[in-house]
Amino acid sequence: MEWLKQEQGLDIEYATVYASVRYRLGAKLKVPRPQSYKQDEKLVSEFKKNSVSSSRP
């Protein structure tokens, strides 16, 4: 909302922007998936270091 006002000079209600983006463009709000509190941070970081990135050809 602030971006629209600052950059584009538009003062539009949140519900209007949400409806336009959700139903006309078909987009959804992105929310991170929950993580278990039982995770071991060391194992997670080791996994990330040793895993093959999907962006590599």
Side-chain angles (χ1 to χ4, degrees), residues 33-45 47-48:
R33 295 180 71 178
Q35 293 182 347
S36 173
Y37 64 92
K38 297 178 184 178
Q39 285 188 130
D40 184 357
E41 290 296 323
K42 286 184 181 179
L43 291 176
V44 172
S45 65
F47 176 78
K48 288 181 180 180

Side-chain angles (χ1 to χ4, degrees), residues 7-23:
E7 298 294 323
Q8 304 299 319
L10 300 172
D11 191 18
I12 302 173
E13 291 186 19
Y14 176 81
T16 305
V17 174
Y18 177 83
S20 297
V21 171
R22 175 70 175 100
Y23 300 112

